[in-house]
Every structure is written in C-alpha cells, then in structure tokens.
Amino acid sequence: MKKRFTEEQIIAVLKEQEANGKTADVCRRHGISPATFYNWKAKFSVNVQLNIEIQANSRDGFDQILQRTIKENCSVLKFKSAEFEGE
C-alpha cells in the first residue's frame, strides 16, 4: 500500500532533515526511501539568500535615537550586522 503525504508533511520531513542532518535516520523514521526523500527535496526545497546593503549619507550625521531605531529594526529582521561608520 502506497503511503501518501500532504505537502505540509513533506515540508516538515525536509525541515527535520535540515535540522538533524541525517537523511537515513529521517527516512527510516517516516518510512520513506532515500530516493523519495531526494525527489521531495528537488521538488519542494528552495534555497534563497538575500543580501541587503543600505547606504545613507547625512551632512550633519545621524543622531543616537535614529541609530538605535535602525539597529533595533535590523535586530528584529535578523540582519547579521547594523553598523555605522565611525563607531
């Protein structure tokens, strides 16, 4: 009997393997073959990398309140860094 998985279940399996790193263990736990896993990965996995660089210039510089606001927003958005020149 063929076992059917919903898209949500397939994505959960892919995320589990991504966190665990052991494809064979994940396949065994869910009763699927490695071939099925890699077919799912080809169909459902997307790797996106986004790099953003923002440059702003002000003749008088930026006050501390504005710098703090920008840094807090960068933290919420999980940017790796939020640096101002001269810091």
Side-chain angles (χ1 to χ4, degrees):
M1 182 173 174
K2 198 170 191 179
K3 191 171 184 181
R4 301 279 178 171
F5 290 84
T6 65
E7 286 187 9
E8 290 81 13
Q9 291 171 323
I10 292 169
I11 292 168
V13 170
L14 295 173
K15 285 183 179 180
E16 180 182 338
Q17 186 275 338
E18 196 173 283
N20 182 334
K22 299 193 177 176
T23 303
D25 292 343
V26 173
C27 291
R28 191 171 24 261
R29 201 172 10 262
H30 294 283
I32 60 172
S33 71
T36 298
F37 174 83
Y38 288 113
N39 285 337
W40 287 354
K41 190 171 183 174
K43 183 176 180 181
F44 291 99
S45 291
V46 175
N47 187 9
V48 176
Q49 183 176 5
L50 178 63
N51 296 313
I52 298 175
E53 182 176 331
I54 300 171
Q55 294 182 353
N57 297 313
S58 174
R59 187 178 46 195
D60 300 327
F62 296 100
D63 65 8
Q64 294 298 317
I65 295 171
L66 180 58
Q67 288 185 28
R68 187 180 73 234
T69 301
I70 292 170
K71 287 180 181 181
E72 288 172 358
N73 289 339
C74 290
S75 175
V76 168
L77 294 171
K78 299 188 182 347
F79 288 176
K80 288 182 182 177
S81 67
E83 301 298 323
F84 288 85
E85 288 184 11
E87 285 189 330

